[in-house]
Amino acid sequence: MTLTVQTLYGPLGPVDFPEYGPDGALIGCVPAAPLALETPLGRLNAQHSTDDARRPKVHPIEFHPDGSLKSMALEERTVLPTPLGPLPAEFVSFHPDGELRRVFPVYGKLSGYWTEKEEATLNDPLTLETPAGSITARIAGVQFFPGGALKSVTLWPGESVEIETPLGRQKARIGISFHESGALRSFEPAALTPVPTPIGILEAFDPDALGIHGDVCSLEFGPDGEPVALSTPMNTVEAALPDGKPRRFAPTRVPNLCDERVQDVKPLRVRFQGGAALLGEDPAPAFPLDTARFTVGRLLEGLFAPIRYDCGL
């Protein structure tokens, strides 16, 4: 049974499946027919139709607890005004104050009937002017801070771009993210990348990076450009306190998700925080940089082979 619901933007309907929060505020509903909504970006047509392969269901319109628009899928790809200039979108989300948060150029559902390769044919490369330089690639999504500063860019699977970094010009895959000041916060290296750190040069690369988004990648920098975290599949670190025996930290082996007979490399995670080096996974032991001794080693080349397996998904 369809109905009309009341929102900050006026009556909205016809809709199905209205959902309300504990205080009775509307937090979501599903368009049941053609429906246009006045948004901070202008009047937009919400998704109300489906197809059997690419968009098998209608996504709900969602609202923040204060009633402001949180997100909506669009009936058709629509070019929207953004802080980066006009961008095509099939899904958008907003901060509670109404400012644009995320833009997704395509928003199809991958399945056995609709593949990533087919979805990619609908996603033309875009050129974006970022604080790390101009990039051109297929884009999975972009995110903005309140105020409009660019927060992150997530690349389409298989895409890579060259960007300016504190390490010089580097090739990035999966995504890049920024501090609100515009300084580079993180990127996902496309290859083993030497990084000078307080304990020595470490080679950053994460063969296990899933590529869901580029909001926080494995190689991270502080606002001053100094490295604060990285993943290394090649290096070992031996650390010792003045009154203790050395402890050795190294990448490990884990079963491959597609074939348990295959062992993948799980990188060693290294972070720098509060004047200490934190080695390994949480809870990671901390070694003060001013008193501990560190020795960086390197695995044999053959122990790290970034092989990609197709799980058939």
Side-chain angles (χ1 to χ4, degrees), residues 36-37 39 45 47 123 159 218 234-235 243:
L37 183 64
T39 79
N45 295 312
Q47 181 197 1
N123 192 7
E159 295 285 292
S218 66
M234 282 297 297
N235 295 119
D243 56 351

Side-chain angles (χ1 to χ4, degrees), residues 184-271:
L184 186 68
R185 181 186 180 193
S186 69
F187 76 97
E188 202 60 55
L192 283 169
T193 302
V195 180
T197 78
I199 64 174
I201 295 179
L202 299 173
E203 294 168 279
F205 181 74
D206 188 353
D208 296 325
L210 298 178
I212 296 175
H213 57 70
D215 294 355
V216 180
C217 302
S218 66
L219 177 51
E220 300 180 48
F221 302 90
D224 59 358
E226 292 298 315
V228 296
L230 61 84
S231 297
T232 174
M234 282 297 297
N235 295 119
T236 62
V237 178
E238 188 176 273
L241 296 172
D243 56 351
K245 293 182 178 179
R247 291 183 60 184
R248 184 176 183 271
F249 300 86
T252 57
R253 292 280 186 174
V254 295
N256 180 269
L257 293 176
C258 306
D259 187 343
E260 293 184 352
R261 297 168 297 179
V262 177
Q263 294 288 303
D264 289 338
V265 172
K266 182 178 181 180
L268 171 65
R269 188 67 173 165
V270 180
R271 292 180 289 141

Side-chain angles (χ1 to χ4, degrees), residues 141-159:
V142 296
Q143 182 178 195
F144 301 95
F145 287 101
L150 181 62
K151 187 173 185 179
S152 67
V153 177
T154 300
L155 304 175
W156 192 257
E159 295 285 292

Side-chain angles (χ1 to χ4, degrees), residues 41-191:
L41 300 179
R43 193 169 180 82
L44 298 178
N45 295 312
Q47 181 197 1
H48 68 272
S49 65
T50 65
D51 59 49
D52 291 336
R54 183 169 182 263
R55 303 182 91 179
K57 70 174 185 176
V58 175
H59 291 269
I61 301 172
E62 296 184 317
F63 300 90
H64 290 287
D66 67 357
S68 61
L69 182 63
K70 181 178 181 181
S71 67
M72 65 184 294
L74 307 181
E75 177 67 9
E76 296 180 346
R77 190 171 308 135
T78 304
V79 176
L80 302 177
T82 81
L84 289 179
L87 291 179
E90 289 188 342
F91 188 93
V92 292
S93 68
F94 300 89
H95 293 286
D97 64 1
E99 292 190 274
L100 184 62
R101 184 184 181 196
R102 291 186 186 268
V103 175
F104 296 87
V106 294
Y107 203 67
K109 182 177 178 61
L110 304 183
S111 68
Y113 303 100
W114 186 259
T115 66
E116 184 179 287
K117 184 176 180 180
E118 290 172 303
E119 184 80 349
T121 63
L122 304 178
N123 192 7
D124 294 328
L126 299 172
T127 297
L128 305 180
E129 300 298 329
T130 81
S134 178
I135 62 173
T136 299
R138 288 186 175 90
I139 304 298
V142 296
Q143 182 178 195
F144 301 95
F145 287 101
L150 181 62
K151 187 173 185 179
S152 67
V153 177
T154 300
L155 304 175
W156 192 257
E159 295 285 292
S160 62
V161 295
E162 287 193 353
I163 59 172
E164 297 294 338
T165 82
L167 307 174
R169 195 158 181 84
Q170 300 288 340
K171 182 173 284 189
R173 64 194 177 111
I174 297 175
I176 53 180
S177 70
F178 302 91
H179 295 282
E180 196 163 1
S181 65
L184 186 68
R185 181 186 180 193
S186 69
F187 76 97
E188 202 60 55

